[in-house]
Amino acid sequence: MFHRPALLRGRTAFATASVAVLGLVLTLTAGAAPAPAAPGPAPGPVVRTDVGSAPGSKTALAGYAIQSTAKVADSPTVVSSPGYPASGWYRAGPRSTVLAALLAAGVHPDPFYSTGQKRIPAEDFAVPWWYRADLVVADPAVRTYLDVSGVMSAADVYVNGRQVAGASTVTGAYTRHEIDLTDLVEAGTNTVAFRVRPNDPRKHFTMGWLDWLQPPPDRNMGIVRDVTVRRGGPVALRDAHVVTALALPAMSSADLTVKARVRNDSPAPVTTTVSGTVGPVAVSRSVRLAAHETRTLVFSPADHPALRLRAPRVWWPATMGRQPLYRLDLTATVDGAPSDTAHETFGIREVRAPLNADGARQYEVNGRPLLIKGAGWSPDAYLRWDRTYVEDRLRYALDLGLNTLRLEGHIEPDEFFDLADRYGILTLPGWECCDKWEGEVNRGGSGERWTPADYPVAKASMAAEAARLRHHPSVISFLIGSDAAPNRRIEQGYLDALKAADWTAPVIPAASGAASPLTGASGMKMTGPYEWVPPRYWYDKRAGGAGGFNSETSAGPDVPTLDTLRRMMSPAELDSLWKDPGAAQYHRSPSATFATLKLYDEALSHRYGPPTDLTDYVRKAQLAQYESVRAQFEAYARHAKDASEPSTGVIYWMFNSGWTSLHWQLVDRYLDQGGAYFGAKKANEPLHVQYGYGDRTVAVVNNRTSRASGLTARVTLFSTDGAQRYDRTVTGVSVAGGGASSAVLTVPASVTGLSTTYLARLVLTDGAGREVSRNVYWLSTADDVLDYAGTTWYYTPTSAYADLRGLAAMPRTSVTATGSTVTTTPTTSTSTTTVTLRHTGAGKAPALLTDVHLVGARGAPVLPVRWSDNQVSLWPGESTTLTATYRTADLHGAAPRLRISGWNTPTATVPAG
């Protein structure tokens, strides 16, 4: 994020071991181990991993026993020897920060509630911590390697009492290190121990939190990626991958080039045969290697013509097509016996991102341009990996009509990108702003300047990530800068690493409007806002408005539902939330700029009226967030095909938060959905009718691939009492596919009899008269007025506010709901609840923004849940049918019920059948 001043935010000798930095992989070898120390009388947790013996097998460590070095008086030799008792130590998972392990052990209370995290003493993490694990090896004759990544910030590594790597080498969250343990391991139990150094994102190439959330006191110190044990014979296969080249525009063929490093780890010459399949094509070649020689094998269409695939199965983003994947499987054999294997899944697709005539980055997938509609991704605040939780959020992203997620730093484990490949979600990973990553070039940040030792670490980080991500078709760029672009020396290191890794996706120098010496202009803008602005802001092609590619932007705060607020804040904090706009909110940000909700609350009070209690505050917040988020995505979609300054991409800041938050989220920590969520879902629906705040034009946007014709658009304006004041219907509407839009009509600037606050109902029907899009706006005859002269890096002030206070005077009315639930087979364990809502009230008043929550025991929301639609508005006599899909187990045995609420309807709970 653009965190300007608002947030002052070789060779190591030991026995016979050696260390060599080789771009992606740092390879180390070590000598024999001493005799193990005698075990103590009170053993602690023992974490064992049974290591496979098959050549080519990879076994991730099952976890660790951890403890602060302040509580361990024994020497590293003793700690890292088999049989050490680890008395009083804690158990940690295979990917775990120190604090994550302590939370799992119940050492500290729930840090997501109130200010509980403040009570965790930071001094506990000012010293190194031990991470210790046992490896059970049945056959030590098979070569053994330890593959290490994800260490924050650095670690000394010991195996069976001997140091095999130092913290000067094993440093940085993204570097990767291969340690040869063949001469150290013995049959039976072996021990690996990491003395993990404290983390400081200002000083180390790791991960920080900047102004996203209150940073955990351990600063994510620990090991957050799998450490794996690899087994093999005399010849090792490394860096196997496929470089794809799709013939455009026909896509009738694709060239596949297979590369792999073949390394002889034995002291004698050897002949190896590397063979296998890449997709449907078989490849094979024999090569003679001298002792300890490494060669790169290449299989290309020139020597294997079948590698020019005819009619390839092409990978597409979810909104554009299917997501087929291919496999690469190679085996190196020596004297007919397997020595090592390599496996990879890849997709065939071509990504380009040229600059358009206005200098904006325009992405193209397989030759077809697309508007990037995305949001910023956040992992868990304590970097805990939960595949189900991640998959739930990815499904939410698709449900919202998003096609892209940006990962600024916090680049997730391999499984995240596997899921993105499968779901067809594009990703934009890149380095983090404002800390060590930009310390040399971003003087407004908090990162320390680079030393000569930092450059090879940064380059090795780039090499490791490039090799890890290059085969994922979902990865469509790497951003080598965020708020600032790298200087020539840093950039050259990154580009050299990317080239060596056969990186083919575009390389973007920065997420801001900065340019780098070698790559040139970024084609992106980082002009905010990050704080509240009115809906009409997005329609002006100024600052963060809908023109070009905005890499991170939103109207800032997002107050979650009342259910979530009560889970995350104390009664006193909830009282302050609605009563005191100037109060610092712990669940907003550590930044002084974003500490309070003052700007947001002022706008809420001016536009909707001062809140009367917490419930009133939250319901007004949901309306405000719905209209703001909807307008942001609608404006960017509407301007995507403009002849001048078209919008090419928008990244909502952010998709989710890593903890319980009051800002920057479309979905909250507990996966509940409020106005922001359903505003985005409405704006991004496949065929969409929308109102332009900037010029009052009603348009139809077609996000489908094919043209839509024979449509009818109807626009009706109502006073808040339900009296109809304007009505117009346009038939024969046609709009091309691929994100094209078509203007239908312009609403008059003045309509007789219209109240100051009024409602606009837009309905789009197809040729058969079926409703395909409905969109309801609450508007004012008095517009919001923006003070562009006062624009800062984080927002544009509003000098006059739209008057929406008339909504408070809307007549009360009623909505009834009936529901039925169908549970699928036990295999999938999902249920679908169908809900029919009917406006049954008397009079003319509509039921505005009717929300349905599926609830279980004690009225708690069933989450996650995917609604076909929600927060709908109904006029007298109207009805609509919604569906909710969810895991049956999340009911916890309770019968499903429906909680119905709305702006001007009473809350009621009814059975769901």
Side-chain angles (χ1 to χ4, degrees):
M1 174 192 169
F2 208 14
H3 321 264
R4 285 196 171 102
L7 176 67
L8 293 178
R9 45 166 203 154
R11 191 172 182 89
T12 302
F14 52 89
T16 60
S18 64
V19 180
V21 179
L22 299 174
L24 163 64
V25 179
L26 294 98
T27 302
L28 304 97
T29 56
V46 177
V47 183
R48 285 192 173 89
T49 301
D50 291 322
V51 176
S53 296
S57 64
K58 295 172 67 174
T59 307
L61 297 189
Y64 307 91
I66 72 167
Q67 183 57 278
S68 168
T69 57
K71 297 182 179 180
V72 178
D74 299 305
S75 69
T77 297
V78 173
V79 170
S80 62
S81 294
Y84 181 73
S87 302
W89 288 39
Y90 305 98
R91 183 179 294 273
R95 306 169 184 170
S96 179
T97 65
V98 173
L99 185 51
L102 298 182
L103 292 173
V107 176
H108 302 293
D110 179 9
F112 290 112
Y113 180 75
S114 186
T115 57
Q117 184 174 256
K118 284 184 176 181
R119 296 193 291 272
I120 302 173
E123 57 268 24
D124 288 356
F125 313 105
V127 299
W129 277 66
W130 281 109
Y131 276 60
R132 187 183 186 281
D134 285 343
L135 314 177
V136 180
V137 177
D139 184 2
V142 180
R143 298 196 68 86
T144 306
Y145 310 86
L146 194 68
D147 197 341
V148 180
S149 184
V151 177
M152 292 201 288
S153 66
D156 303 297
V157 186
Y158 301 83
V159 174
N160 290 347
R162 300 293 295 270
Q163 184 174 0
V164 296
S168 61
T169 297
V170 181
T171 180
Y174 298 105
T175 57
R176 185 173 170 184
H177 315 270
E178 184 178 88
I179 306 173
D180 191 342
L181 304 182
T182 304
D183 294 336
L184 277 174
V185 297
E186 299 176 350
T189 300
N190 300 264
T191 299
V192 57
F194 300 85
R195 185 166 57 188
V196 178
R197 304 289 181 90
N199 185 38
D200 185 344
R202 297 173 304 164
K203 299 178 180 181
H204 309 122
F205 294 110
T206 56
M207 305 177 197
W209 288 108
L210 307 166
D211 48 8
W212 298 13
L213 48 76
Q214 297 290 351
D218 72 339
R219 296 181 175 182
N220 295 131
M221 170 191 190
I223 302 176
V224 298
R225 288 187 179 171
D226 286 342
V227 172
T228 58
V229 181
R230 303 177 70 162
R231 310 301 302 278
V235 171
L237 273 179
R238 296 292 185 267
D239 200 31
H241 61 283
V242 181
V243 182
T244 67
L246 179 63
L248 295 176
M251 296 183 287
S252 57
S253 67
D255 285 356
L256 309 182
T257 301
V258 183
K259 295 186 178 183
R261 287 207 315 271
V262 187
R263 187 180 70 211
N264 180 10
D265 285 337
S266 73
V270 67
T271 298
T272 182
T273 299
V274 177
S275 58
T277 56
V278 50
V281 183
V283 295
S284 183
R285 181 173 300 152
S286 295
V287 60
R288 180 76 171 171
L289 298 172
H292 302 296
E293 180 186 4
T294 299
R295 287 195 201 175
T296 297
L297 288 186
V298 179
F299 302 96
S300 71
D303 50 61
H304 286 73
L307 288 174
R308 176 159 292 146
L309 289 187
R310 304 298 178 187
R313 295 181 292 120
V314 177
W315 187 95
W316 292 95
T319 56
M320 301 173 73
R322 299 176 66 83
Q323 296 77 48
L325 297 171
Y326 290 87
R327 277 189 60 84
L328 169 69
D329 296 288
L330 295 178
T331 300
T333 58
V334 176
D335 296 329
S339 181
D340 204 357
T341 62
H343 310 279
E344 184 176 272
T345 301
F346 65 97
I348 297 175
R349 60 96 179 95
E350 196 78 15
V351 177
R352 297 172 184 169
L355 301 180
N356 66 13
D358 299 300
R361 192 69 62 175
Q362 173 65 71
Y363 278 85
E364 301 172 356
V365 177
N366 302 328
R368 298 182 188 174
L370 81 160
L371 172 68
I372 295 295
K373 293 188 295 184
W377 176 269
S378 175
D380 172 70
Y382 309 104
L383 302 186
R384 294 170 293 190
W385 173 258
D386 183 329
R387 179 188 172 95
T388 299
Y389 185 52
V390 168
E391 195 164 6
D392 287 339
R393 285 178 286 163
L394 292 179
R395 287 172 173 160
Y396 268 7
L398 288 180
D399 183 54
L400 288 177
L402 303 181
N403 57 29
T404 304
L405 294 169
R406 180 182 167 212
L407 292 82
E408 182 193 355
H410 307 90
I411 306 176
E412 292 277 37
D414 295 341
E415 294 96 324
F416 175 89
F417 297 97
D418 291 338
L419 289 169
D421 291 345
R422 194 176 96 197
Y423 284 116
I425 299 174
L426 305 176
T427 62
L428 295 173
W431 302 133
E432 192 168 275
C433 103
C434 310
D435 52 19
K436 181 66 175 184
W437 290 100
E438 292 186 349
E440 189 65 14
V441 293
N442 185 352
R443 303 319 306 148
S446 60
E448 293 189 359
R449 300 293 292 266
W450 288 25
T451 68
D454 289 326
Y455 291 89
V457 176
K459 182 178 180 180
S461 300
M462 184 74 266
E465 287 303 279
R468 190 173 73 93
L469 300 176
R470 65 192 164 196
H471 67 281
H472 289 286
S474 59
V475 178
I476 59 168
S477 274
F478 199 94
L479 281 72
I480 57 175
S482 181
D483 290 22
N487 62 27
R488 181 178 292 270
R489 181 179 178 187
I490 296 171
E491 183 181 23
Q492 189 66 67
Y494 289 154
L495 294 180
D496 288 347
L498 287 159
K499 182 179 179 181
D502 292 319
W503 184 266
T504 59
V507 177
I508 311 300
S512 68
S516 62
L518 302 174
T519 307
S522 72
M524 295 186 175
K525 65 179 182 180
M526 192 185 282
T527 46
Y530 302 99
E531 185 57 274
W532 188 85
V533 290
R536 70 162 298 145
Y537 172 93
W538 303 105
Y539 281 86
D540 294 336
K541 293 184 179 180
R542 306 172 66 174
F549 194 118
N550 198 336
S551 68
E552 47 183 64
T553 186
S554 75
D558 183 85
V559 175
T561 64
L562 201 53
D563 293 295
T564 291
L565 286 171
R566 287 173 172 154
R567 292 180 71 175
M568 63 185 263
M569 299 174 75
S570 69
E573 290 166 334
L574 290 174
D575 207 39
S576 172
L577 177 66
W578 73 273
K579 287 182 177 179
D580 188 358
Q585 298 291 341
Y586 187 70
H587 287 269
R588 178 136 201 231
S589 173
S591 162
T593 300
F594 303 119
T596 76
L597 291 168
K598 187 173 186 296
L599 294 174
Y600 176 82
D601 287 351
E602 286 178 353
L604 209 63
S605 291
H606 277 98
R607 300 174 90 243
Y608 289 96
T612 57
D613 56 24
L614 177 64
T615 300
D616 186 53
Y617 177 79
V618 173
R619 75 186 191 118
K620 286 174 176 173
Q622 301 314 310
L623 259 70
Q625 289 152 196
Y626 188 107
E627 63 166 348
S628 178
V629 173
R630 175 179 60 181
Q632 177 177 333
F633 281 108
E634 285 183 338
Y636 271 86
R638 170 70 190 279
H639 291 171
K641 302 296 183 181
D642 287 0
S644 175
E645 296 184 75
S647 54
T648 61
V650 59
I651 301 295
Y652 184 90
W653 205 247
M654 298 177 64
F655 175 69
N656 67 299
S657 177
W659 81 327
T660 42
S661 178
L662 293 169
H663 77 164
W664 297 345
Q665 56 187 359
L666 292 174
V667 60
D668 69 36
R669 165 71 194 175
Y670 301 112
L671 303 182
D672 204 356
Q673 305 145 315
Y677 186 97
F678 291 113
K681 181 177 173 67
K682 175 58 63 177
N684 294 322
E685 62 187 354
L687 191 59
H688 179 64
V689 61
Q690 66 180 64
Y691 171 82
Y693 284 87
D695 59 6
R696 306 182 313 282
T697 298
V698 173
V700 176
V701 177
N702 184 9
N703 293 308
R704 298 172 178 172
T705 55
S706 58
R707 172 178 290 276
S709 302
L711 304 173
T712 297
R714 183 182 180 188
V715 181
T716 314
L717 305 185
F718 301 86
S719 292
T720 51
D721 61 2
Q724 182 175 307
R725 302 300 183 185
Y726 172 86
D727 188 50
R728 185 176 172 193
T729 298
V730 178
T731 61
V733 176
S734 179
V735 57
S741 63
S742 178
V744 175
L745 62 90
T746 299
V747 175
S750 178
V751 174
T752 302
L754 202 58
S755 53
T756 301
T757 304
Y758 64 97
L759 303 174
R761 182 183 66 194
L762 282 57
V763 177
L764 187 70
T765 53
D766 63 15
R770 292 183 296 261
E771 186 176 297
V772 293
S773 178
R774 167 184 287 236
N775 210 350
V776 175
Y777 295 79
W778 38 103
L779 303 168
S780 172
T781 56
D783 286 337
D784 294 294
V785 179
L786 287 150
D787 175 18
Y788 280 104
T791 297
T792 70
W793 68 269
Y794 61 95
Y795 90 121
T796 296
T798 303
S799 57
Y801 295 94
D803 185 354
L804 302 174
R805 292 173 296 174
L807 294 177
M810 287 183 66
R812 301 283 287 177
T813 190
S814 60
V815 172
T816 61
T818 56
S820 62
T821 298
V822 175
T823 300
T824 60
T825 63
T827 305
T828 54
S829 301
T830 60
S831 293
T832 299
T833 295
T834 301
V835 185
T836 299
L837 299 175
R838 290 183 177 85
H839 186 307
T840 55
K844 298 179 180 180
L848 182 64
L849 221 67
T850 301
D851 177 272
V852 187
H853 259 67
L854 187 81
V855 298
R858 301 176 185 174
V862 176
L863 301 168
V865 59
R866 293 191 303 283
W867 287 95
S868 59
D869 196 5
N870 208 328
Q871 298 198 347
V872 296
S873 298
L874 297 172
W875 268 253
E878 289 186 332
S879 66
T880 189
T881 299
L882 317 175
T883 59
T885 305
Y886 52 96
R887 283 188 292 265
T888 308
D890 290 336
L891 282 167
H892 303 292
R897 295 183 297 159
L898 302 169
R899 187 177 68 207
I900 316 300
S901 61
W903 175 257
N904 59 326
T905 55
T907 299
T909 302
V910 300

